[in-house]
Amino acid sequence: MSETPTSVRGMNDLLPPDSAKWQHLERTCRDLFTRYGYALVRPPVVEHTELFVRGVGEGSDIVGKEMYTFADRSDRSLTLRPELTAGLARAYIEHAMAAKEAVTRWWSLGPVFRYEAINTGRYRQFYQIDCEVYGVAEPTLDAEVIAMLLALYGELGVAPLTMLVNNVGRGEDRSRYRAALVEFLTPHAAGLCADCQRRLVTNPLRVLDCKVEADRRVVAAAPSVLDHLGPEARAHFDTVLATLDELGAPVVVEPRLVRGLDYYTGTVFELTTTAGNLGSQSTIVAGGRYDEMIGDLGGPATPAIGFGIGVERTVLCMPGDPATFVAPVGVFIAARGEAARRRATALAHALRAAGIVVEVEHRDVGMKAQFRRADKLGARYSLALGEAELATGAAKLKEMATRAEHDVTLAELVATVTRLLAA
RNA sequence: GUGGAUGUAGCUCAAUCGGUAGAGCACCAGGUUGUGGUCCUGGGUGUCGUGGGUUCGACUCCCAUCAUCCACCCCA
C-alpha cells in the first residue's frame, strides 16, 4: 500500500453530488416527521457497552460479533452505537421523559457502526434515520407509524414497495409459540442447516427467517405465530390491520417475518423494494414495538414503537440523478482584474444576502475559462465585470440557456435578479 | 465467514504473441468571439495497487498480499 492515507474499510466519504441527494432525503424526513409531531434528538455516537448488551440483546448477531467495542483511557468499555434505538431509550430514561410528558415522539439520524462484511448497500459505518414513540400502547399508533413510512417513500418516489407486517407476540404468547415452534422443529433438526440447529436452542424464531432452501421447506409447514397470539394481542394486530386498511396503506402480512434484534415485541414490520439493484439488501426500513425495553433497562415500564431507515439503501433506490438535487446557481459573476473582482465579491455578497445562489470567479483567469465554468455549473444568469462596467456602473446580465442579455445597473442588480429569478 | 471479478494519469478506460505506456473527460492558454459557453490548436502527470518470482527483458506470465466491486450469509 502507498503512503497516502486511505479511509477505513467499509467507512466511506460522502461527496457531492451524492451528498445533495442525501440532503433531499433528510429534508423530506425532517419535514414529514415534523408534521407528525416528532422532535429531533441527537444522542452521542458512543455509549457504555453494557447499554447495547442489555438493550439490543445478547443473543443478537450485532452484540455477538459486530460491535466496535474499545476501552477508553479510564478503562471503561465503550461501544460505537450499532443502531439508534438503544441510545434514544437510554436518553428517554435518563432525562425522565416519562414523568414530563405522557407521549414522547422523537426522531434522530446519524452514523451507526457494525463490523460486517462489505456489500452493496452494506457498510461498516452507515447511516440511519429513526423515529421512536414512547408512552402509547394502542394499535392505531402502529398503523400510523407504518402508514407514515409508506407516505415518506411515496413522496421520495421509491417504487415498488412492499411493507411486510407481523406480530411476534410477547410474554406468555411468545413463550407458548416458542415452545410450539421448538416442538415442531426438533424432529426436523437433523435436516436444518448448522446455523439453524444452533438457533433452535438460542433463538428459535430466527429459524423462520432462514434463507436456506431446505430449511424454508421445513419452516413452510411450521405453526404460525399469529395462531398463537392470545386474545389481547390478536385484537391489537387486527386493529393495526383494520386501521391500515382505513388509511389506504397497503401491507402484506408475513407470519415468518422476524427481526434480528431481540427487543421486539408484538408488531414488527419491514419495508422492502426491488428498486435500486440492492440485491439481497432489499430491506430499507425495519422496525416494530419494543414494549419491554424501557422497563428492562431500568426505566418506568413504557410501551414504545420505532423504526430505522437505512439511508444508503434508501438513496440507492431513490429515483433521480444526484446532480439534479444540487442547488442550481442563480448568478455567476465573471470578473477581469482585481478591481472588478473586488466589486464582484461585494455584489455576490449582496445577492446572497437576498437568498440567491451565487458563484464568483475569484481566480485570475481568462473570460473564456470563467464562462466555461459558469456553463458547467449550470448558472441561470451570468454577469461579466471589467473596467468598462466598473466605470459606467452598467453591465449585461446574460441568461445562459437562451444567451439573451438584459441591461442592468449594478446599483439595482439585487432587485433585477430577484425579479428575473422569480419569473 | 465462503465464492467470483477487477486494480494502468485527478476521473473513465486502452496497450496484439512479453520489447519499460496511450486516448477521452477534466483543467489552463492561444485562435475565432463582444474580454464570452460551442469549435480548432497547444500544454503533463504515471513507483502500471504492493512485495516477490520466471525471463536478456514484465503493464503483460506465476505466487503472495492489500484494496475495491459483486454474489451468498446476515442485516438497515
Side-chain angles (χ1 to χ4, degrees), chain A residues 45-67:
Chain A
V45 168
V46 175
E47 299 276 0
H48 294 289
T49 302
E50 184 64 12
L51 173 67
F52 300 118
V53 174
R54 289 171 60 195
V56 177
E58 223 148 350
S60 68
D61 285 353
I62 293 177
V63 172
K65 55 189 183 190
E66 296 174 0
M67 295 204 303

Side-chain angles (χ1 to χ4, degrees), chain A residues 13 54 68 84 86-87 143-144 154 175 177 285 289 336 369:
Chain A
D13 298 308
R54 289 171 60 195
Y68 279 90
L84 299 178
E144 181 197 274
S175 329
Y177 176 63
V285 184
R289 277 206 167 269
R336 206 73 174 115

Side-chain angles (χ1 to χ4, degrees), chain A residues 119-401:
Chain A
N119 213 324
T120 304
R122 174 121 129 268
Y123 313 98
R124 287 182 177 173
Q125 171 173 332
F126 63 102
Y127 289 75
Q128 290 196 336
I129 302 176
D130 269 41
C131 282
E132 317 284 350
V133 183
Y134 310 91
V136 178
E138 283 73 7
T140 44
L141 174 66
D142 305 25
E144 181 197 274
V145 167
I146 291 166
M148 180 178 79
L149 276 169
L150 287 167
L152 171 67
Y153 280 83
E155 206 170 310
L156 294 171
V158 178
L161 294 168
T162 304
M163 179 65 82
L164 303 173
V165 300
N166 192 25
N167 186 310
V168 295
R170 64 181 290 201
E172 281 185 25
D173 295 348
R174 184 86 157 256
S175 329
R176 272 213 327 280
Y177 176 63
R178 192 184 156 113
L181 187 62
V182 170
E183 190 183 335
F184 169 84
L185 289 174
T186 302
H188 299 92
L192 295 175
C193 71
D195 282 338
C196 285
Q197 294 191 19
R198 181 175 45 75
R199 289 177 186 138
L200 188 51
V201 180
T202 59
N203 193 348
L205 294 194
R206 285 289 301 287
V207 178
L208 296 175
D209 207 27
C210 188
K211 303 298 188 295
V212 176
E213 190 53 39
D215 294 22
R216 294 185 72 108
R217 276 199 297 276
V218 172
V219 163
S224 163
V225 215
L226 297 176
D227 294 334
H228 289 257
L229 297 179
E232 211 177 308
R234 182 71 237 183
H236 183 102
F237 193 54
D238 287 343
T239 302
V240 172
L241 295 179
T243 309
L244 284 167
D245 189 51
E246 196 158 340
L247 289 169
V251 300
V252 175
V253 175
E254 173 48 88
R256 283 181 295 280
L257 176 65
V258 176
R259 311 266 58 266
L261 281 57
D262 292 355
Y263 52 64
Y264 287 110
T265 53
T267 307
V268 296
F269 51 88
E270 187 171 300
L271 184 63
T272 70
T273 182
T274 53
N277 299 318
L278 286 165
S280 56
Q281 276 76 243
S282 62
T283 298
I284 48 182
V285 184
R289 277 206 167 269
Y290 48 100
D291 289 342
E292 290 161 9
M293 185 203 273
I294 302 293
D296 288 348
L297 288 175
T302 307
I305 183 171
F307 60 77
I309 292 172
V311 172
E312 285 85 353
R313 291 179 188 182
T314 296
V315 170
L316 283 171
C317 67
M318 274 164 59
D321 185 324
T324 62
F325 295 92
V326 174
V329 172
V331 182
F332 183 96
I333 305 182
R336 206 73 174 115
E338 190 175 310
R341 280 199 291 280
R342 283 208 306 270
R343 190 66 194 277
T345 306
L347 288 169
H349 196 64
L351 286 164
R352 288 163 177 154
I356 296 161
V357 180
V358 182
E359 179 64 37
V360 192
E361 184 54 85
H362 287 286
R363 296 175 309 156
D364 183 23
V365 294
M367 267 302 164
K368 182 198 291 286
Q370 302 196 36
F371 269 84
R372 283 180 63 179
R373 202 153 87 83
D375 193 40
K376 198 184 155 220
L377 290 171
R380 271 288 289 287
Y381 293 94
S382 63
L383 185 78
L385 289 186
E387 284 178 24
E389 287 79 8
L390 288 191
T392 61
K396 300 227 187 260
L397 187 67
K398 179 172 183 173
E399 186 171 4
M400 296 296 282

